[in-house]
Amino acid sequence: MCTVVYLATPGLLSKNRDKEVVTAEEVVNTGDYLAVRSVGDSYFSLGINKHGVAFVSTAVNSPEWTRLVEEGEAEKAIEVFAEERKGQTSPTKMISSAFADIKSLDECVELLKGSDNLLMGYNVVLADQDRAMVVETFKDQRHPFDLKPRDVVTNHFRTLQHGAKTFDEYPSSFERFDYISQYLNDMGSVEDLAGVVHPEPGSERAKQIWRKGTFSTVSSSVIDLKVKQIRYTNAVGTDYTVHSL
């Protein structure tokens, strides 16, 4: 579960990654792309490549699965998750496998739209120096649309009829969306963005965005689209490290 922020003017795309299980991550730099993934995974949570194309993603799951996880019904949640995603492919894995050679946002969209695979529920956020968009995916549905110059994406769809549609079905997704939205017009730099998505430990902001408990925030990443850098941290009290392509 994740929170994504896009800011066109400073050219920034960020992701706070939340997981229901403890996950160690690593930053990968091949020269063709710079990306973040869970240790041991072959696909990426986010990245930017040498062509300046960046992506991040947020999962959109059913309210039933979310409720089971939050209520501590781990075994039942695993069963529901497996059944709901049976026969489905992760769009993030598809993009990761072709990422080094993708030259435009349109190529990403065509990759997803041209596949006959049934896709898992995801917001796939794509950006370069000029624009940003999201592709909502679920099963055989792909719905691309442009993001606003300042925008936020969490764990619910705006269009496709899947996942949480009301506050009561997944309060945290809507709360995080509202939390970021109130600061969108105030963020003009990477420092401003960091103050919202990676606040001081123990602050009121940290309580609203840096999650603890069943779903925990495992990292915060900021992609600088203009210079092809990723700032990364895996703790609310730890400064970002800067990785350059």
Side-chain angles (χ1 to χ4, degrees), residues 1-4 14-21 23-26 36-39 41 43-46 57-58 92 122 176 197 209-211 215-221 232-233:
M1 308 301 104
C2 308
T3 303
V4 170
S14 77
K15 174 176 177 175
N16 278 28
R17 191 183 189 195
D18 302 333
K19 296 285 290 182
E20 75 278 11
V21 293
T23 301
E25 294 184 318
E26 59 185 356
V36 177
R37 68 184 176 192
S38 294
V39 174
D41 280 351
Y43 65 94
F44 307 117
S45 168
L46 60 96
S57 62
T58 76
T92 303
Y122 269 88
R176 284 178 283 119
V197 300
I209 191 62
W210 204 273
R211 303 170 76 188
F215 290 105
S216 296
T217 303
V218 299
S219 64
S220 178
S221 301
Y232 175 85
T233 181

Side-chain angles (χ1 to χ4, degrees), residues 26-241:
E26 59 185 356
V27 179
V28 179
N29 189 345
T30 68
D32 289 325
Y33 56 75
L34 185 61
V36 177
R37 68 184 176 192
S38 294
V39 174
D41 280 351
S42 59
Y43 65 94
F44 307 117
S45 168
L46 60 96
I48 184 167
N49 69 15
K50 63 185 178 183
H51 304 293
V53 176
F55 84 95
V56 300
S57 62
T58 76
V60 179
N61 296 301
S62 72
E64 180 185 6
W65 177 82
T66 304
R67 177 183 58 79
L68 288 169
V69 173
E70 290 180 335
E71 292 178 355
E73 298 285 344
E75 292 186 6
K76 182 62 176 176
I78 292 172
E79 293 176 7
V80 168
F81 188 87
E83 181 62 30
E84 289 181 346
R85 294 196 169 192
K86 184 183 298 182
Q88 299 175 20
T89 300
S90 166
T92 303
K93 290 183 179 180
M94 291 177 60
I95 290 177
S96 296
S97 64
F99 193 47
D101 299 317
I102 291 176
K103 296 181 176 63
S104 70
L105 307 194
D106 292 336
E107 282 189 29
C108 289
V109 175
E110 289 307 312
L111 176 67
L112 298 176
K113 292 180 69 175
S115 171
D116 293 330
N117 292 327
L118 299 179
L119 299 184
M120 297 175 183
Y122 269 88
N123 285 304
V124 182
V125 181
L126 309 169
D128 60 20
Q129 290 192 45
D130 300 317
R131 62 185 178 125
M133 62 190 304
V134 60
V135 185
E136 296 181 349
T137 69
F138 181 60
K139 294 187 176 179
D140 62 346
Q141 303 175 76
R142 284 83 157 142
H143 183 73
F145 58 91
D146 290 336
L147 287 177
K148 293 179 290 187
R150 293 173 177 269
D151 219 333
V152 55
V153 178
T154 54
N155 299 110
H156 57 274
F157 285 144
R158 302 184 193 182
T159 304
L160 296 188
Q161 296 303 306
H162 169 68
K165 305 307 293 183
T166 65
F167 179 90
D168 290 340
E169 289 179 324
Y170 192 1
S172 175
S173 184
F174 291 89
E175 287 171 348
R176 284 178 283 119
F177 186 96
D178 290 344
Y179 165 74
I180 297 294
S181 295
Q182 67 181 312
Y183 295 112
L184 280 176
N185 291 331
D186 300 327
M187 293 186 284
S189 67
V190 68
E191 290 79 15
D192 294 337
L193 174 59
V196 175
V197 300
H198 184 242
E200 288 294 322
S203 65
E204 285 303 313
R205 288 186 177 186
K207 294 175 184 178
Q208 295 184 71
I209 191 62
W210 204 273
R211 303 170 76 188
K212 297 179 180 179
T214 306
F215 290 105
S216 296
T217 303
V218 299
S219 64
S220 178
S221 301
V222 178
I223 301 174
D224 190 318
L225 300 163
K226 295 182 179 180
V227 296
K228 300 175 187 174
Q229 287 181 339
I230 292 180
R231 288 172 170 82
Y232 175 85
T233 181
N234 62 3
V236 68
T238 302
D239 290 341
Y240 287 102
T241 55

